[in-house]
């Protein structure tokens, strides 16, 4: 292989494939090596439940992917990707009622009543596309955007508990906390508002699904790679430097642990220290369901039929307790739950008459406990009769997640905690934290800025760094 390739990318998640696509389109000869039997990392879709029943194994909803400058640049929609964008970005279901967060701010304002203005000022004031460019490019912020970015960063640095004091209604505070808690941080933690502000802003562009399943995103990326002459090999786990050619660039869409081990004696002191200190977050337990009917929500409005995403928490206290328990290593008794019914928006996922849903909750790192009974109970409370619609269940515990993908250390779905320090320095404070200091070696997974999500920006930035070097 010595002279065959200019760059080898280890790992075919959205970041690895984005890096490969950018390099291949620039004329570099690229090879992608993937440990699993299929490409895609956290954007795989499987037919566990039978032919034609397409279940997203990990990621399901794509606000950051839809807004990603990398995916736009690579013109994934020319390679078969079709976004289906519901007009309700998410529905927050509480025992006291359901709140929709819509793409259309006027509709959200109607739902939030007394807090409509505050929501608009705090969450929707940002121009979503510009914000994404800023966040996804951080910490390299163009000078003309400094002021606006500084304003966003100051709010994002606040603990959620502090930021929600701006709202006067329990409803707005609970909905915001649910969005913020995607980051799996205690609500008292500095920086825990960041995900709420980013994903809340992106509710106005949309929280879409990919038609046919999330795999359509990585299939489109792979199509770009192959069309530009790149090669992708599956079933090739890299554990040893001897498996890789010398004399070409190496980009690792992997956990920092692998890079630390392979280059232990060559990484600079600063990068070694950063990787040693790198902290992973808590775990996740996910349940996939096959149903005879859509979930029978007690809420009879049409909100649930117009969204791909639901959050279940009676109040902010339930979210607070869940995230505090998880951070303390305790399994939450009544976890708050995130979920979706993809067949509501994309009927192509299953044969007619079959419905799909998924739901997950946060659990402590390395937790091997199946918490599907707790998740089902939470859904049943707001959708009586749900249990009777279930014809198939598949549970993926946090330890299963790590077995499925080595990047999900302890079941951490973002390959690194979203703590304030790791929002800023991920894994080091640098305009291009993908550069490891070993010539030609890059870390390009979501362990690097801008962090978790299917948006490809870590891979994009690593590839741009390779090209900038000439
Ligand atoms: C349950 C769950 C739900 C999620 N929901 C969403 C969501 O709705 N929306 C969203 O945007 N994000 C979601 N995410 C997060 C998202 O999937 C990840 O942030 C994203 O996939 C990270 O991309 P990546 O390329 O950095 O790494 P990954 O997608 O993790 O890909 C890494 C790849 O590298 C391979 N690999 C690792 N080590 C080696 C090795 N030594 N040799 C060869 N190959 C190797 C792995 O097998 C894997 O294929 C979810 C994740 C999970 C697990």
């Amino acid at each position: 292989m010595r002279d065959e390739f200019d760059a080898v990318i280890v790992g075919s998640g959205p970041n690895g494939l984005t890096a490969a696509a950018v390099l291949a389109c620039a004329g570099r000869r690229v090879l992608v090596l993937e440990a699993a039997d299929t490409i895609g990392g956290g954007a795989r879709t499987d037919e566990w439940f039978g032919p034609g029943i397409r279940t997203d194994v990990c990621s399901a909803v794509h606000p950051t992917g839809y807004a990603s400058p990398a995916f736009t640049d690579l013109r994934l929609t020319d390679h078969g990707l079709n976004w289906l964008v519901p007009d309700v970005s998410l529905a927050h279901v509480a025992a006291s009622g359901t709140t929709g967060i819509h793409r259309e701010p006027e509709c959200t304002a109607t739902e939030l009543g007394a807090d409509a203005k505050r929501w608009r000022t705090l969450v929707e004031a940002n121009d979503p596309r510009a914000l994404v460019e800023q966040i996804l490019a951080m910490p390299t912020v163009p000078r003309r955007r400094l002021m606006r970015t500084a304003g966003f960063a100051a709010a994002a640095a606040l603990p959620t508990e502090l930021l929600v004091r701006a709202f006067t209604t329990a409803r707005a505070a609970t909905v915001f906390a649910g969005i913020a808690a995607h980051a799996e941080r205690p609500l008292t933690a500095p920086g825990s508002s960041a995900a709420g502000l980013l994903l809340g802003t992106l509710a106005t562009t949309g929280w879409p699904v990919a038609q046919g399943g999330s795999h359509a995103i990585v299939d489109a990326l792979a199509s770009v790679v192959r069309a530009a002459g790149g090669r992708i090999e599956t079933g090739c786990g890299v554990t040893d430097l001897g498996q890789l050619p010398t004399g070409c660039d190496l980009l690792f869409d992997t956990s920092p642990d692998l890079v630390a081990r392979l280059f232990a004696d060559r990484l600079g002191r600063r990068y070694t220290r950063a990787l040693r200190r790198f902290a992973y977050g808590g775990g996740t337990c996910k349940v996939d369901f096959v149903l005879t009917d859509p979930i029978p929500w007690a809420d009879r409005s049409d909100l649930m039929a117009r969204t791909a995403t639901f959050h279940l928490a009676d109040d902010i206290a339930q979210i607070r307790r869940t995230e505090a328990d998880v951070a303390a290593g305790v399994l939450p008794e009544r976890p708050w739950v995130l979920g979706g019914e993809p067949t509501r928006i994309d009927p192509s996922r299953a044969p007619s008459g079959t419905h799909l849903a998924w739901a997950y909750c946060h659990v402590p790192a390395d937790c091997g406990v199946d918490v599907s009974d707790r998740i089902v109970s939470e859904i049943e409370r707001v959708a009586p009769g749900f249990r009777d619609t279930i014809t198939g269940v598949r549970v993926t515990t946090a330890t299963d997640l790590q077995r499925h993908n080595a990047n999900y250390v302890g079941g951490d779905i973002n390959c690194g905690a979203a703590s304030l320090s790791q929002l800023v320095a991920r894994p080091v404070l640098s305009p291009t934290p993908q550069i490891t200091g070993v010539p030609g070696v890059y870390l390009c997974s979501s362990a690097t800025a801008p962090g978790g999500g299917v948006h490809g920006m870590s891979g994009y930035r690593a590839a741009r760094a390779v090209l900038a070097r000439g």
Side-chain angles (χ1 to χ4, degrees), residues 60-71:
V61 182
H62 298 286
T64 55
Y66 186 51
S68 164
F71 291 177

Side-chain angles (χ1 to χ4, degrees), residues 13 135 191 253 312:
I135 303 301
D253 179 19
L312 308 185

Side-chain angles (χ1 to χ4, degrees), residues 10-17 33-36 38-44 57-65 182 214 236-239 252-255 258 261 284 286 358 360 401 404-408 411-415 444-447 451-456 458:
V10 179
S12 71
N15 281 311
L17 289 174
L33 298 176
E34 166 57 49
T38 51
I39 62 162
R44 294 189 179 106
V57 179
C58 298
S59 67
V61 182
H62 298 286
T64 55
H182 274 239
S214 296
C236 297
V238 173
T239 51
F252 288 86
D253 179 19
T254 67
S255 78
L258 181 71
R261 190 161 53 72
T284 286
K286 179 170 185 269
W358 58 270
Y360 71 67
L401 275 175
H404 161 77
N405 181 340
N407 287 28
Y408 300 145
D412 172 3
I413 68 173
N414 289 317
C415 194
C444 72
S445 67
S446 60
V454 174
H455 45 65
S458 302

